[in-house]
Amino acid sequence: MNEMFLLKLGEIVLKGGNKFQFENRLKTNVARRMRPFGDFRVYIVQSTVYIEPENDACDLEGAWDACHFIFGVVSLCRCRPCEKNLDDIFEKAMAYLGDDLRMAKSFKVESKRSDKRFPLTSIGISQEIGGRIAEAVEEIEVDVHHPEYTVYVEVRDHAAYVHGPADPGAGGLPTGVGGRAMVLLSGGIDSPVAGYMIAKRGVELECVHFFSYPYTSELAKDKVLELARLMARYCGKMTVNVVGFTEIQEAIRDNCPEEFFTLIMRRFMMKIAERIALDHGCGCLVTGENLGQVASQTMEAMAVTAASVDLPIFQPLIGMDKEEIVTIARKIGTMETSILPYEDCCTVFTPRHPKTKPTKAQVDHACEKLDFDALIERALADTEMIRVRYHG
Ligand code: ATP
Ligand code: MG
């Protein structure tokens, strides 16, 4: 076997009694993510996921790329397995990493020996392999403090492995260990980031999007579906529930005082999202709300909105600055799609002077004329479920 991948587990190793459950979930997730790229053997030993291609037909580059988006992994490397003796370790290190070493001016070897039966200590392995490399590669020097390149040797139970520097992994916890959440996904910058942050904590996502045709266009809907596809790179396949919201918005426009439009609309959004969430086994709602960003995101307005539902509402962006949110949106690849021009149903009937310090009683009073239950039932009946997956 020429090459394989090692994924190092993150916080999972701290989880004590639940460790096996976490590891099994990660193993299943990794195996599923590798499937489009061919036949891979996936197993976990000593808090490391091993991924071995089973034949030459495997798409190693595609698989390697996908490994960077799996939650629960802190770091990952491509490596070359070798026999557990110094000659083979040296030979494979030169064959596998020789080009990188010849480009570097200085290097060191860092070794780890989890198989304590191996006759040399970690330091002994590093000295021995380092000495042989220094002799074999012209003009390279050993520098243990600031090396340009580091060769890693790991002597594990079944084999030894050599590799170069590791890449950072996606971090977080394996998808699925933390339950399911319903993300209220708009076409903006914030909600995809909010969904990503909750997903990173091991939570499976589903999305709900409110769509007010013809006030918002098919293009606005396509944009949201594209955002969900981009999120699926990290979160895995998702369902987007697209709810027809036109009748509700028109009812609000025709029957409620303008300064409360947005607050009432948000009450409907929360109630409908909660219904779909409960139907789909989700334990919380997630929004991209951010304290003070707009009139409906004052403390008072959010309190009124939160009082519409019983499920907890998670708002992972609540205390962040826009710049910090944008940095994450760029990192996860949603930013460019989020800034495409679009209309959101929030912007359709925006009050000129929205109420920024509402009370629940005022909002209750403002929507007295509306038949909430009937409007909600009709909106739920007008919901389309769309499955999305990341497609590269
Ligand atoms: P975003 O950038 O996510 O659109 P925003 O800063 O524009 O957020 P609002 O428009 O007030 O803020 O929306 C607040 C939150 O409400 C959004 O982050 C999202 O979770 C939810 N939301 C807004 N519009 C919709 C929609 N059309 N469908 C589903 N959820 C929505
Ligand atoms: Mg928005």
Side-chain angles (χ1 to χ4, degrees):
M1 189 202 329
N2 282 334
E3 198 177 25
M4 56 185 289
F5 311 150
L6 301 182
L7 315 187
K8 305 286 168 78
L9 309 197
E11 288 172 46
I12 307 177
V13 289
L14 305 174
K15 292 289 171 197
N18 291 332
K19 185 175 154 184
F20 291 108
Q21 194 190 330
F22 277 59
E23 289 191 350
N24 279 334
R25 176 56 82 130
L26 181 63
K27 191 174 85 174
T28 311
N29 292 350
V30 171
R32 190 184 321 113
R33 294 291 188 94
M34 292 300 101
R35 223 168 278 148
F37 306 103
D39 298 326
F40 290 87
R41 197 161 99 80
V42 176
Y43 54 97
I44 296 192
V45 186
Q46 295 172 322
S47 298
T48 300
V49 184
Y50 293 69
I51 306 178
E52 290 179 21
E54 302 215 77
N55 53 51
D56 289 343
C58 289
D59 171 6
L60 275 194
E61 300 310 319
W64 174 240
D65 184 57
C67 287
H68 290 74
F69 301 92
I70 300 174
F71 289 132
V73 174
V74 268
S75 71
L76 56 156
C77 60
R78 296 170 82 133
C79 68
R80 180 86 184 248
C82 24
E83 285 168 32
K84 289 201 277 187
N85 63 66
L86 291 170
D87 288 345
D88 201 50
I89 292 172
F90 168 66
E91 199 179 296
K92 296 280 163 54
M94 285 308 296
Y96 188 53
L97 306 172
D99 287 348
D100 290 342
L101 283 163
R102 281 183 279 274
M103 305 255 287
K105 290 195 178 60
S106 61
F107 83 106
K108 74 168 173 180
V109 177
E110 222 178 275
S111 306
K112 230 165 70 197
R113 179 190 60 142
S114 49
D115 174 6
K116 301 296 179 207
R117 291 164 309 179
F118 193 75
L120 274 96
T121 61
S122 306
I123 295 171
I125 301 168
S126 297
Q127 284 172 341
E128 184 64 34
I129 299 296
R132 293 192 196 189
I133 291 175
E135 247 173 59
V137 180
E138 270 175 41
E139 290 183 22
I140 200 165
E141 280 177 15
V142 175
D143 179 345
V144 288
H145 299 296
H146 304 288
E148 220 177 275
Y149 192 79
T150 303
V151 172
Y152 295 85
V153 176
E154 302 190 35
V155 179
R156 290 172 165 259
D157 272 357
H158 300 296
Y161 303 86
V162 292
H163 60 86
D167 284 357
L173 299 172
T175 304
V177 297
R180 289 164 80 71
M182 180 62 72
V183 184
L184 284 86
L185 189 64
S186 72
I189 296 170
D190 301 337
S191 41
V193 174
Y196 158 82
M197 288 179 70
I198 295 300
K200 190 172 178 192
R201 300 310 300 165
V203 177
E204 266 173 342
L205 300 187
E206 270 204 45
C207 303
V208 57
H209 176 65
F210 298 94
F211 175 62
S212 291
Y213 189 79
Y215 303 105
T216 60
S217 65
E218 280 292 327
L219 283 176
K221 176 169 130 188
D222 291 346
K223 179 184 171 185
V224 169
L225 293 176
E226 179 58 18
L227 285 171
R229 278 183 208 110
L230 294 169
M231 290 162 72
R233 182 175 216 182
Y234 287 93
C235 316
K237 279 184 288 195
M238 290 196 293
T239 302
V240 183
N241 300 272
V242 180
V243 180
F245 208 48
T246 315
E247 190 195 355
I248 289 174
Q249 289 206 286
E250 288 176 345
I252 297 172
R253 179 195 59 192
D254 297 341
N255 294 290
C256 305
E258 183 183 319
E259 59 181 339
F260 291 103
F261 279 1
T262 311
L263 288 158
I264 298 169
M265 186 192 73
R266 297 197 63 72
R267 180 176 283 191
F268 273 102
M269 283 188 175
M270 292 300 160
K271 283 181 178 295
I272 293 170
E274 182 180 52
R275 279 282 294 276
I276 303 176
L278 292 172
D279 272 358
H280 294 237
C282 301
C284 73
L285 304 178
V286 178
T287 71
E289 285 167 306
N290 175 248
L291 195 57
Q293 199 185 74
V294 289
S296 59
Q297 295 174 16
T298 62
M299 196 186 294
E300 293 81 359
M302 282 194 283
V304 171
T305 301
S308 331
V309 289
D310 292 325
L311 277 183
I313 304 172
F314 290 175
Q315 303 155 325
L317 314 186
I318 196 72
M320 292 170 75
D321 287 346
K322 195 74 191 183
E323 242 181 69
E324 298 171 281
I325 301 171
V326 165
T327 302
I328 301 177
R330 288 196 197 289
K331 183 185 112 176
I332 65 173
T334 51
M335 186 66 188
E336 279 180 30
T337 304
S338 285
I339 58 177
L340 293 173
Y342 84 113
E343 329 79 42
D344 182 51
C345 64
C346 289
T347 55
V348 177
F349 304 116
T350 312
R352 279 159 296 182
H353 303 290
K355 190 91 177 154
T356 53
K357 296 198 171 181
T359 63
K360 182 170 176 299
Q362 286 168 339
V363 180
D364 288 347
H365 182 67
C367 52
E368 253 170 11
K369 286 197 211 146
L370 298 179
D371 184 348
F372 262 75
D373 293 342
L375 284 164
I376 288 174
E377 290 309 324
R378 284 200 292 277
L380 285 169
D382 184 21
T383 296
E384 188 187 358
M385 271 177 53
I386 302 170
R387 295 289 289 165
V388 298
R389 57 164 67 228
Y390 181 70
H391 51 57

